[in-house]
Amino acid sequence: MSIARQSSAHKNRSSFPWGLALVYVALVAGAMVMTLPFVWMALTSVKPDAEIFGQTLRWLPSDFDFANYSDAYASINMGRLYQNTILITGADVIAQILLGAMAGYVFARLRFPGRQAIFFALLITMMVPFEVLVLPIFLFVRRFPLAGGNDLFGNGGAGLLNTYPGLMFPNLISVYGVFLFRQFFRAFPIEVEEAALIDGSSRQRFFWTILMPNAKPVIGTMGLFSFLWTWNDFLWPLVIAKEERMKTLQLGLATFNQESGTRWAEMMAASVMATVPVLLLFLFLQRFLVQGLATTGLKG
Amino acid sequence: MSTSAAGLQGRPAAQRRSRLDRIVNSDTFVAYTFLILPLLLFFAIKFYPVVYNVVLSFTNYDLFSPIQFVGLKNFRAVFTEEVTLKAIRNTIYYTVGTVPLGTALALIVASLLNQRIRGRIVFRTLYYLPVVTSVVVSSMVWKWIFSPQSGLLNHLIGYLGIPPQQWIYDPTLAMPSLILVSLWAGLGGNMVIFLAGLQDIPAELYEAAEIDGAHAWQSFLFLTVPLLRPVILFVVVTYSIAIFRSFGAIFILTQGGPMLTTNTLVWEVYMNAFGYLKLGKGAAISVVLVALILVITVVNFRVLREDEE
């Protein structure tokens, strides 16, 4: 509020608003720094190799060369990577929304033995990052009973390693999602629920036919977040997908990195292709992000 | 928050209901049918792994030989061996280098954006882009920017007359390079949180300050910063945890090197578990890491509570 208005409306009303101009200069300069890596990625992706390794800096390619895109697509088998990533992300997004909403509703509206203890335990686990739990979850998935050649006690086989259920597993639900839905449902008018129950509706029917159709904003927020988490996830696929055919986009991209990094143009082209769906979805859904921040009660 | 049974009492329809119906419609029954799948999953991906990790940290498990309890051996190793001590130092260096500066930058950008200017949403979107980009993509782009041979950064500093640097391949510059990437990656997310907080501050306060002759920077320092203190603490805590967790950037950019200058605790957890197959030691490091997170969180909330009293 302060800087612009002060300097523009202060004392010398007619003169040039220097303060406001400074604000714009700072914001534009900052935005250039923030977007420079993206611009550089896009420019590199259409350059022939000769123009990448020059001694002098060349911003624009002499000729837009889209061969990098087809080369990159073929060299890491991107069709398969897209297919795997879409399948895993789709399942995880749906599961995170449904399970998060169900648990969120329970913690928002129902009284039952164990409610406080369970909710408190969940909040505590929010402080334990996934990176720390990767190994136990990996062992759990590998020893999943009766899967992938395992016996009833989880020995003998590979469990859910290199399978879609294994890749989806840790992102099927998130504590954050439960919390987000709980906050939203707590703010939902209780009179609506009481009226439905008096009319003879069950809790279940109220949840599915009245509450969920009215929860579109929070579903949008959760959908966007869970999409970003699973689409961009790297560590879990890294330890769980060891076979080429089960790899996700992020894993496929990282293979460029392992070959001592000389194919920069292809690497950037593949990065552009993996990022465009995310950017489109984000631009389309970004209003939900701001709403989501308001719902989680960050604002007190 | 009354139960459904209470709402239905005394109504003819309710009296005809069987006992089974009443059980099925009770809060407890509905709650646990809704919770059964979420709780099973949380058990598998949260509660069980936390307990398993703690137990594992007291063993010498390596996947192949039978598990043996070794007491505090792993923890003693964490606090005596050079590699893990370096990891603790690097984690602190990484956090101290990123969090204060990154929080300040995010607050400044949010304050600039929280004014009546054109293109607010465009600016907000542009600053936020790194947050939605995958860590693999952004780290690979930065690796290309840092490239000692034809990287963008060496070209740019060349204009200022600075000789080309080795960046992530230079032991002294590797961590600052990683910090630079983390500042860039974290700015947008923290900025959005600050924007939400700023919108709760009544405009009248700034107008009153203006009438009293306060400069813009005085309003920022003596109004914005104290009023946003809870939000600042929230950002400091979540940003610190995000830095503690940072794995993908290290995996792509440095792999913990050069000369162990970027091997953080998370990197050591990963390497011990999946590289050296020293599962017990990896678990011990992860227990230390969680303890560090707890300390930071508790200290910050203490500060916050004292502030409120």
Side-chain angles (χ1 to χ4, degrees):
Chain A
M1 287 293 146
S2 53
I3 304 171
R5 201 186 306 151
Q6 261 189 348
S7 319
S8 59
H10 210 65
K11 295 166 197 164
N12 37 4
R13 215 165 267 273
S14 55
S15 71
F16 185 78
W18 287 106
L20 192 66
L22 260 175
V23 169
Y24 275 111
V25 169
L27 284 173
V28 170
M32 281 167 72
V33 174
M34 294 303 282
T35 48
L36 185 62
F38 295 101
V39 174
W40 193 236
M41 167 170 85
L43 288 175
T44 305
S45 75
V46 289
K47 280 181 192 167
D49 270 357
E51 296 180 20
I52 284 173
F53 295 108
Q55 282 306 307
T56 51
L57 177 58
R58 288 188 74 134
W59 285 101
L60 292 172
S62 58
D63 194 20
F64 285 87
D65 182 3
F66 286 95
N68 294 321
Y69 281 81
S70 47
D71 290 349
Y73 196 96
S75 88
I76 57 172
N77 195 5
M78 264 186 122
R80 178 76 193 183
L81 299 177
Y82 269 116
Q83 189 189 316
N84 290 345
T85 310
I86 290 169
L87 197 73
I88 294 159
T89 307
D92 279 339
V93 167
I94 292 169
Q96 282 205 29
I97 289 172
L98 288 180
L99 297 174
M102 286 164 76
Y105 170 66
V106 168
F107 289 117
R109 283 293 167 84
L110 300 180
R111 299 213 168 275
F112 58 96
R115 174 183 127 124
Q116 299 282 357
I118 297 171
F119 192 66
F120 187 67
L122 283 181
L123 285 184
I124 292 283
T125 63
M126 271 179 111
M127 271 190 288
V128 185
F130 175 73
E131 285 73 8
V132 158
L133 302 178
V134 166
L135 175 69
I137 302 175
F138 169 84
L139 293 176
F140 183 92
V141 165
R142 204 188 72 137
R143 291 191 187 135
F144 206 85
L146 304 176
N150 276 354
D151 60 21
L152 190 60
F153 302 101
N155 296 315
L160 295 174
L161 298 193
N162 292 310
T163 66
Y164 288 122
L167 276 153
M168 293 165 187
F169 189 67
N171 284 321
L172 287 172
I173 193 164
S174 73
V175 184
Y176 180 83
V178 174
F179 191 64
L180 192 70
F181 275 104
R182 173 180 172 269
Q183 296 300 94
F184 182 84
F185 290 151
R186 271 161 72 101
F188 193 80
I190 189 105
E191 295 79 19
V192 178
E193 182 163 13
E194 282 167 354
L197 295 178
I198 287 168
D199 287 346
S201 166
S202 65
R203 291 271 193 189
Q204 287 93 335
R205 229 180 85 195
F206 165 76
F207 176 80
W208 293 111
T209 60
I210 298 173
L211 199 55
M212 282 304 268
N214 280 297
K216 283 187 192 109
V218 69
I219 291 173
T221 306
M222 197 53 219
L224 180 60
F225 278 133
S226 53
F227 177 88
L228 291 175
W229 293 332
T230 37
W231 186 278
N232 291 339
D233 193 13
F234 176 60
L235 177 55
W236 181 248
L238 177 70
V239 300
I240 212 80
K242 289 298 175 197
E243 287 172 16
E244 217 47 57
R245 64 186 177 88
M246 294 310 292
K247 285 193 170 169
T248 62
L249 268 174
Q250 306 304 328
L251 279 184
L253 291 179
T255 53
F256 279 111
N257 188 52
Q258 281 147 18
E259 2 176 293
S260 70
T262 42
R263 293 192 290 161
W264 292 112
E266 273 184 50
M267 192 163 154
M268 293 302 110
S271 297
V272 170
M273 284 188 274
T275 310
V276 163
V278 183
L279 291 188
L280 286 179
L281 197 85
F282 166 65
L283 293 177
F284 191 60
L285 290 178
Q286 66 162 315
R287 69 195 161 93
F288 287 117
L289 192 129
V290 182
Q291 286 171 359
L293 277 173
T295 317
T296 41
L298 277 179
K299 299 168 76 179
Chain B
M1 189 68 71
S2 69
T3 64
S4 59
L8 292 165
Q9 250 164 25
R11 295 175 70 89
Q15 283 159 7
R16 283 199 300 273
R17 291 201 165 177
S18 67
R19 234 174 105 187
L20 185 71
D21 261 6
R22 246 179 288 138
I23 293 172
V24 167
N25 281 312
S26 73
D27 273 12
T28 306
F29 185 84
V30 176
Y32 279 103
T33 48
F34 270 38
L35 277 183
I36 187 153
L37 206 49
L39 282 185
L40 278 175
L41 283 169
F42 279 134
F43 178 80
I45 63 171
K46 292 284 184 188
F47 303 135
Y48 164 79
V50 167
V51 175
Y52 190 95
N53 239 358
V54 174
V55 173
L56 205 59
S57 67
F58 295 102
T59 70
N60 65 349
Y61 191 39
D62 62 0
L63 279 183
F64 303 109
S65 40
I67 296 189
Q68 268 187 344
F69 279 90
V70 293
L72 291 170
K73 184 167 165 268
N74 291 322
F75 289 95
R76 224 172 290 136
V78 171
F79 291 109
T80 50
E81 284 173 12
E82 189 54 31
V83 178
T84 40
L85 284 176
K86 265 194 172 146
I88 294 174
R89 274 199 297 272
N90 286 336
T91 305
I92 293 170
Y93 179 10
Y94 190 15
T95 313
V96 172
T98 312
V99 175
L101 182 58
T103 307
L105 281 174
L107 183 53
I108 290 168
V109 173
S111 304
L112 293 180
L113 272 181
N114 194 41
Q115 305 182 58
R116 273 191 248 137
I117 51 163
R118 283 188 198 171
R120 276 186 58 179
I121 294 175
V122 175
F123 280 122
R124 194 187 69 197
T125 307
L126 291 178
Y127 281 87
Y128 200 78
L129 284 184
V131 183
V132 300
T133 310
S134 86
V135 68
V136 174
V137 167
S138 54
S139 303
M140 290 199 320
V141 176
W142 276 99
K143 196 173 186 180
W144 169 219
I145 291 173
F146 285 135
S147 165
Q149 287 84 33
S150 342
L152 179 61
L153 203 51
N154 274 347
H155 280 305
L156 291 180
I157 62 168
Y159 289 137
L160 304 172
I162 304 168
Q165 300 294 320
Q166 294 292 309
W167 303 114
I168 51 174
Y169 308 98
D170 177 337
T172 50
L173 283 181
M175 185 55 90
S177 304
L178 194 62
I179 289 172
L180 177 65
V181 175
S182 302
L183 287 172
W184 172 83
L187 181 65
N190 296 329
M191 172 203 73
V192 168
I193 296 171
F194 279 132
L195 272 175
L198 281 171
Q199 265 142 39
D200 277 358
I201 301 180
E204 295 81 45
L205 285 178
Y206 289 106
E207 282 156 17
E210 201 184 316
I211 289 165
D212 289 346
H215 285 288
W217 61 269
Q218 286 171 322
S219 296
F220 178 78
L221 272 186
F222 300 116
L223 268 181
T224 311
V225 172
L227 284 171
L228 277 189
R229 196 166 163 147
V231 186
I232 293 172
L233 283 165
F234 177 84
V235 166
V236 167
V237 170
T238 50
Y239 201 15
S240 303
I241 294 176
I243 295 300
F244 281 174
R245 303 174 57 166
S246 171
F247 171 79
I250 297 172
F251 184 94
I252 301 285
L253 286 169
T254 63
Q255 298 261 324
M259 292 162 67
L260 296 177
T261 49
T262 58
N263 74 320
T264 59
L265 285 169
V266 155
W267 182 255
E268 285 303 313
V269 170
Y270 172 78
M271 286 311 284
N272 276 285
F274 296 98
Y276 323 135
L277 295 187
K278 288 183 181 170
L279 275 52
K281 197 173 157 205
I285 301 171
S286 68
V287 169
V288 172
L289 184 58
V290 172
L292 255 173
I293 289 176
L294 280 176
V295 167
I296 286 205
T297 313
V298 169
V299 165
N300 273 293
F301 281 101
R302 276 276 162 77
V303 175
L304 177 63
R305 193 167 299 163
E306 275 166 21
D307 202 45
E308 279 172 351
E309 272 163 8

